[in-house]
Structures are given as structure tokens and as C-alpha cells.
Amino acid sequence: MEQWNRKWRTLWCWSNVYVGWKVSQARARALPKEQQAEFWEKRHEHFANVIWNNIKELRGNPEEIFKEIDPQALASASIGQVHRAWLKDGSPVVIKVQHADVEALLSHDMKNLQQLSWAFGLLESGLNFGPVLEEWQRAAAKELDFRYELSHQLRAYEAVKRSGIDVIIPQCYPELTSKKVMVMEFVKGFKITDLDKLDEYKVDRRELMYKLCDSFAYQIHIDGLFNGDPHPGNILVQIDEETGDATPVILDWGLVKTFDSKGQLAFSK
């Protein structure tokens, strides 16, 4: 009987997943193409309004803090998006702002993943990813509070200065950072995967990778805090206009991992 109960629970779980997926498909197909374009235009306008409202968290009128804010997003990811801006003194910065309702959406996604993990665990005990999801959920909760990211990035910035490694961590503005808004210096650069740019500036790719490897080795084995999300979108290359030297820029310090001395020793092995 217990075996049949497990099968029915598994069937129920996968049925929910399948039905949800088909309903989403149907809603997408039901929307005419011309309305899809209008929908995304409204979403961009909505995000612009969210930016303006969230900036008010900084305890000041945005017009008193910023000289100009570019309404067009410079980049966008799952949790937030980044806009160029200029402070009153003309300093170029970027504003990272959370998407609307991202906490509710993330919570919903986590529940779905937990259901899937449970269903997989019924079929095969080795496929239960519950512990991994729990750690991910704790990390994601911190990613939704940019004050954690601020503390991580400030520490990484100081660590780079101590290390002497030729890597850039953007400088932050703690007084202009809140739970949903983060302000940091604008660092000019291009994505490390932009092969045309690498060729154009005759970048020594081996040397560039040495700098990155040295930086992450220092983060892990010396400082004990390292960037846990170093995908190509979070790594830029800055070219010195005078010398032509290429320097990697490491962005997005929301997801990090810390090691104590025991963890560092274990990782070294």
C-alpha cells in the first residue's frame, strides 16, 4: 500500500508540473504578437517606475542625489537590473535596483523546486537535492538584500588592494545603498567573452586568465571570501587607454562563499 501511495504522490507532483507548464504555454500563445511588444514596453516602463520608487529608500529625493539617471537598463538579470547614472558632482555610477515582486517569485520557484526534489527522491534516493536547495534558499535570501552584497563587495575591494593583484572590484557608495538599491562606481569595460574586442585590443588571453586565477586563489586561500557567481556576464575587461594593458573586472558580489581555515585547508587538498 505504501508503495502505491508513493507512486500516486509522485504522479500528483508531476501532474502539477505538467499542467502548470501547459497553462503557461497556452497563455503565451493566446497573446497576439503585436500585444506582446506592447506588453514588454509596459514592463520596461513599469521597471523604470520601480527604479524611481525604490531609490526613495535612500532617504532623499533622487533629483537631489543624482544629476541624471539613464532610464534604459545597461544590463538585467533575474533579481535586478543596472542603470547608468551620474551623481551631482558628475561622478559616473551605476544603480542596481531590484525587480518588482522578485521575492514572491523566488519563493514560488523555490517551492516548485522542492516539490521536484521530493519527487525525484521518491524515485531514487540519490536524486534528492533537498540539502542543496536549503543552502541555495539561504543564499538567495541574502541576495535579495543588497546590504549583504555591499558588505561582500567592500571586503573584496579591500582584499584586492592588499593582494596587489591587477584586478578591479568597483568601489561602492555605502551611504547610497539600501535593501533594494545599490550604487557603485561605473567601470568601463567589455565582456570577457567578446572575442572581437579581445582581438581588437590585442589582449594576451593567457595573461588575462592568470590575473583571474590569481585573484580567485587569493579570495579562496587567503581572504576566505570568494565570488560564487563568476560567469562571463559578471567579468569585464578594462583596457588602459595609455598602456593598452587589460585588467579583469569582477562584478556581482551578491552570491559568495566563505571559508574558515579548516575549509581552506580542505579545499586545498
Side-chain angles (χ1 to χ4, degrees):
M1 180 63 69
E2 176 61 23
Q3 184 178 4
W4 277 104
N5 286 339
R6 290 175 60 186
K7 288 183 178 180
W8 278 113
R9 288 198 299 268
T10 303
L11 179 61
W12 171 82
C13 177
W14 281 104
S15 296
N16 276 349
V17 174
Y18 178 77
V19 170
W21 177 57
K22 297 304 289 184
V23 168
S24 298
Q25 277 190 326
R27 288 177 178 174
R29 285 196 296 265
L31 197 63
K33 289 185 177 180
E34 58 272 15
Q35 290 187 18
Q36 291 178 13
E38 182 182 354
F39 169 79
W40 284 115
E41 286 181 8
K42 289 182 178 179
R43 291 301 293 172
H44 284 303
E45 182 180 349
H46 171 68
F47 285 138
N49 290 332
V50 170
I51 290 168
W52 196 253
N53 291 332
N54 281 345
I55 289 174
K56 292 178 181 177
E57 284 195 356
L58 302 179
R59 300 181 182 86
N61 191 320
E63 294 176 344
E64 297 175 355
I65 301 172
F66 301 99
K67 181 179 180 181
E68 181 183 352
I69 300 175
D70 188 347
Q72 184 66 37
L74 188 64
S76 183
S78 56
I79 290 178
Q81 61 193 57
V82 175
H83 290 251
R84 286 203 65 180
W86 290 261
L87 299 178
K88 282 295 186 179
D89 64 3
S91 300
V93 297
V94 294
I95 305 174
K96 183 175 181 179
V97 62
Q98 277 189 28
H99 292 317
D101 303 323
V102 67
E103 289 189 63
L105 292 172
L106 183 61
S107 176
H108 184 267
D109 288 344
M110 282 295 179
K111 288 179 181 178
N112 288 339
L113 286 172
Q114 286 168 350
Q115 281 188 330
L116 287 174
S117 175
W118 171 78
F120 280 130
L122 293 178
L123 299 173
E124 177 60 52
S125 59
L127 293 178
N128 189 336
F129 301 108
V132 176
L133 288 176
E134 288 177 7
E135 181 173 357
W136 185 16
Q137 193 166 16
R138 288 194 297 269
K142 289 186 175 181
E143 280 196 89
L144 292 175
D145 188 339
F146 289 163
R147 291 169 295 189
Y148 283 105
E149 182 172 352
L150 171 66
S151 65
H152 302 156
Q153 193 158 329
L154 289 173
R155 175 172 168 177
Y157 179 83
E158 293 299 325
V160 163
K161 288 202 302 184
R162 289 194 304 271
S163 72
I165 299 171
D166 188 21
V167 168
I168 296 173
I169 308 294
Q171 192 169 5
C172 299
Y173 290 80
E175 71 279 9
L176 297 180
T177 297
S178 67
K179 181 179 179 180
K180 296 182 179 181
V181 178
M182 185 174 179
V183 179
M184 68 191 79
E185 68 171 321
F186 171 74
V187 178
K188 186 178 180 180
F190 56 87
K191 287 186 178 181
I192 196 170
T193 51
D194 191 335
L195 303 183
D196 291 337
K197 287 286 187 182
L198 292 174
D199 290 337
E200 178 184 344
Y201 290 103
K202 298 180 174 57
V203 175
D204 186 332
R205 302 182 190 186
R206 185 183 295 271
E207 180 65 24
L208 188 67
M209 289 308 300
Y210 276 144
K211 293 178 181 179
L212 276 173
C213 290
D214 284 347
S215 175
F216 275 91
Y218 187 91
Q219 292 173 37
I220 294 170
H221 300 292
I222 305 298
D223 184 58
L225 179 142
F226 68 94
N227 190 306
D229 195 21
H231 63 77
N234 285 339
I235 301 177
L236 303 180
V237 179
Q238 185 184 79
I239 303 297
D240 188 301
E241 295 180 357
E242 295 183 0
T243 65
D245 292 340
T247 302
V249 182
I250 304 177
L251 306 174
D252 197 346
W253 290 83
L255 182 61
V256 301
K257 186 70 176 179
T258 56
F259 279 156
D260 56 18
S261 57
K262 291 182 179 179
Q264 289 172 320
L265 181 61
F267 196 83
S268 299
K269 295 179 178 179

